[in-house]
Amino acid sequence: MSTSKLYPLPVILRRTGQTSRGARQRIQQAYVCERRSLHISRSLREEQKSFKGQLYESTSQRIQRERAEQQRFVEQRGGSNAGRSSATIFAVLASGLGCYYLGSLNHAPPSTASTTPLGLSEPPKHDTSPSNMQAAWGDFVEIVGEDNVSTTEGDLQSHSGSDWSSYTTKDTERPFLIVYPSTTEEVSKIAKICHDRKIPITGYSGGTSLEGHYSATRNGVCVDFGRMDKILELHKDDLDVIVQPGLGWELLNEELAKENLFFPPDPGPGALIGGMVGTGCSGTNAYHYGTMREWVVSLTVVLADGTVIKTRQRPRKSSAGYDLTRMFIGSEGTLGLVTEATLKLTVTPKSSSVAVASFPTVRDAAECVSRIVGEGVPIAAVEILDDVQMRCINEAGSTSRQWKEVPTLFFKFSGTPSGVKEHIGIVQKLAKSNGSKSFEFAKDKDEAAELWSARKEALWSVLAKRRDESDHVWTTDVAVPISRLPDIIEQTKEDIGSCGLLASIVGHVGDGNFHAILLFNDKERKVAEEVVHRMVKRAVEMEGTVTGEHGVGLIKRDYLAHEMSETTVDAMRKLKQAFDPLCLLNCDKIVRVQKPKPGEVQPW
């Protein structure tokens, strides 16, 4: 390649003296080629002297290879760069026009309706992806420490369901992790994280509930209040106490007994205050003392977004504002997480006793209860156990004595010594006039504890009758006006007898509430479901309720519309949306938030 001086083209043309058109074109072409060669030669010499030049050359070659590959790809697909460019331009324009159109639409205003029918309820949108849950695990560890966040198989299993629950937990219904807070502040921080990350939360307090209350239908996080088990303040003179939700009612009463005080609600053994608030429980003392609703003064609650509220101060009565306290009682953790409860207390009765009366039939026993209630006899509690239940207790050997295997009433009396004696005499006469075959009353505290022990062993004695591990127990309850109690107990007893299942009837019959405990295996589940369905329908038709104290959970939610009305349930759904718009708290319990699948709801 020439490296001599390159003269300007006009000079060359003048020097050659050629004026023909063809000659001029050849000279111009030669001139251009010479300039290109000279430029490339200089560039190569410069690039050989620097790393940058080598890099540029390598990059240039790579780009050429990529372009060649792209060209071959286009040829194989039968396309062309022009076609692809046109398609890209069209897609961009279409997308832009679509976005402009959507943006120009008027957004629907918020609903002004007072209720939310199920058909208008939007399904929840949660994020339980592994990456989101793993990131949340790190957040929880910073709040409560690694020792208080569990992902062990045993913990996940025990926080998903229980052997005594009427709901059969699906394999997919389990939390990703369990977190154990110790203060309201920690619960608030946990709720804020879950709200930001759209992670569902299931509260857990004791795990003794029966209707699928803590099944993790949406997975997410389980908040176990087991570490929050303290008595925070006792106001003896005011007859109230402030406690955390993980405290058991039995332990509470042990401590209160030292001050001659007690807390009346007495559900099953192992129940904790948080769960008792959640289900609005009662127990054997409900006839005289009332249910959990009557014994809660105020609550400290963490809402779905982590906001902390206190529903009241400590006075025994108040007409200030909405009664949020009672709204949260029985809400089953769907509206907020209870972290403290101020409870009413009462003075321990000066005297108490227990009596037991047996009857030929369960109807005779139920009619005796109606008679006693109608006479206004001030008894503390009255319980019914049918013949099947008494036989289970005997066979289980869980008490220190053998019982007559016939329908039996258990009475509890309290008050002054003279008052207790008087009331026992009245009840004995009424029982005899209603067909009682025997009447026995305790002469001291030890005998009273022995007599009453049979009532507390009802569920466990039926569980002891399981034939093998495939057997399940279904404990359900309803309540009716006291005048209809004999009818519903007799009809349910006959229904159970005709179905071939081992099942007993137990109940707090003083307030019209009774339970059925059914034992069944997987093949018999359909039969058990039908028995419970007819029992619930019977109660509703008698102007009763689908549950007196167990709560709704997953099992009873589709019955609410029949007991109340569809619009009442719609109002509950609206309330749920107001407190928990993302439906993070114990989703699916009490009210449905999305339509059921075909065949999921049993025909009425």
Side-chain angles (χ1 to χ4, degrees), residues 1 50 57 123 133 148 218 319 356 364 424-425 559 576 578 604:
M1 187 178 294
S50 67
E57 180 181 15
M133 298 306 301
N148 296 309
R218 305 281 173 158
S319 59
V356 177
D364 290 332
I424 289 175
Y559 291 124
K576 165 69 171 172
W604 183 245

Side-chain angles (χ1 to χ4, degrees), residues 177-190:
L177 59 82
I178 319 298
V179 60
Y180 299 85
S182 62
T183 65
T184 297
E185 292 72 23
E186 288 181 353
V187 176
S188 176
K189 290 178 181 178
I190 292 166

Side-chain angles (χ1 to χ4, degrees), residues 359-583:
F359 294 82
T361 69
V362 71
R363 185 177 186 91
D364 290 332
E367 287 181 341
C368 179
V369 173
S370 295
R371 179 86 179 276
I372 291 170
V373 173
E375 292 287 337
V377 183
I379 54 178
V382 54
E383 301 287 305
I384 191 171
L385 279 69
D386 73 350
D387 56 319
V388 175
Q389 183 61 70
M390 299 306 293
R391 183 169 67 251
C392 288
I393 292 171
N394 281 339
E395 293 176 358
S398 53
T399 63
S400 59
R401 59 173 289 172
Q402 287 289 304
W403 305 85
K404 294 181 180 180
E405 296 177 0
V406 294
T408 304
L409 290 179
F410 291 75
F411 300 95
K412 186 185 289 186
F413 303 88
S414 62
T416 63
S418 59
V420 168
K421 184 177 181 180
E422 178 188 358
H423 299 153
I424 289 175
I426 295 173
V427 169
Q428 185 175 14
K429 291 179 181 178
L430 290 173
K432 187 176 181 179
S433 66
N434 279 273
S436 172
K437 297 301 181 182
S438 66
F439 189 93
E440 180 182 0
F441 62 90
K443 298 177 179 62
D444 53 43
K445 288 185 177 181
D446 291 339
E447 214 172 292
E450 180 188 40
L451 291 177
W452 199 252
S453 64
R455 172 60 187 92
K456 287 298 184 181
E457 293 298 325
L459 173 59
W460 313 114
S461 64
V462 175
L463 278 171
K465 296 287 290 182
R466 289 191 297 184
R467 294 157 290 191
D468 52 51
E469 292 183 357
S470 66
D471 273 354
H472 311 283
V473 67
W474 190 324
T475 305
T476 189
D477 81 314
V478 296
V480 295
I482 193 70
S483 63
R484 301 305 308 271
L485 184 66
D487 297 330
I488 191 170
I489 287 183
E490 183 179 51
Q491 292 172 27
T492 302
K493 178 75 173 173
E494 292 173 354
D495 192 9
I496 290 174
S498 65
C499 74
L501 296 179
L502 174 64
S504 67
I505 286 179
V506 181
H508 317 308
V509 286
D511 50 15
N513 180 209
F514 78 97
H515 311 258
I517 307 175
L518 298 86
L519 200 65
F520 63 97
N521 57 31
D522 292 334
K523 293 181 180 179
E524 298 167 328
R525 183 173 185 87
K526 185 65 176 176
V527 177
E529 289 177 348
E530 291 173 351
V531 169
V532 173
H533 177 75
R534 289 191 292 270
M535 175 178 165
V536 171
K537 185 177 181 181
R538 211 173 283 126
V540 171
E541 290 173 347
M542 293 182 181
E543 298 183 273
T545 178
V546 302
T547 175
E549 63 178 14
H550 289 179
V552 176
L554 293 168
I555 297 296
K556 298 286 183 70
R557 59 185 175 175
D558 294 315
Y559 291 124
L560 292 183
H562 298 288
E563 176 184 334
M564 303 165 188
S565 69
E566 197 73 50
T567 54
T568 303
V569 177
D570 293 345
M572 293 182 183
R573 190 175 295 110
K574 187 76 169 185
L575 183 67
K576 165 69 171 172
Q577 291 175 342
F579 276 86
D580 183 15
L582 300 179
C583 198

Side-chain angles (χ1 to χ4, degrees), residues 205-206 225-232 241-253 255-256 263 270-276 292 341 343:
S205 183
F225 293 98
R227 292 175 65 214
M228 300 178 66
D229 58 353
K230 299 176 178 60
I231 296 175
L232 300 178
V241 63
I242 302 176
V243 302
Q244 291 183 310
L247 179 67
W249 67 272
E250 295 157 301
L251 180 58
L252 172 62
N253 273 330
E255 294 298 316
L256 293 175
F263 177 64
L272 306 184
I273 296 299
M276 293 165 67
M292 191 71 179
L343 308 175

Side-chain angles (χ1 to χ4, degrees), residues 162-167 206-211 214 459-460 463 473-475:
S162 67
D163 290 340
W164 50 83
S165 175
S166 55
Y167 178 74
T208 60
S209 56
L210 300 167
E211 305 286 359
Y214 60 91
L459 173 59
W460 313 114
L463 278 171
V473 67
W474 190 324
T475 305

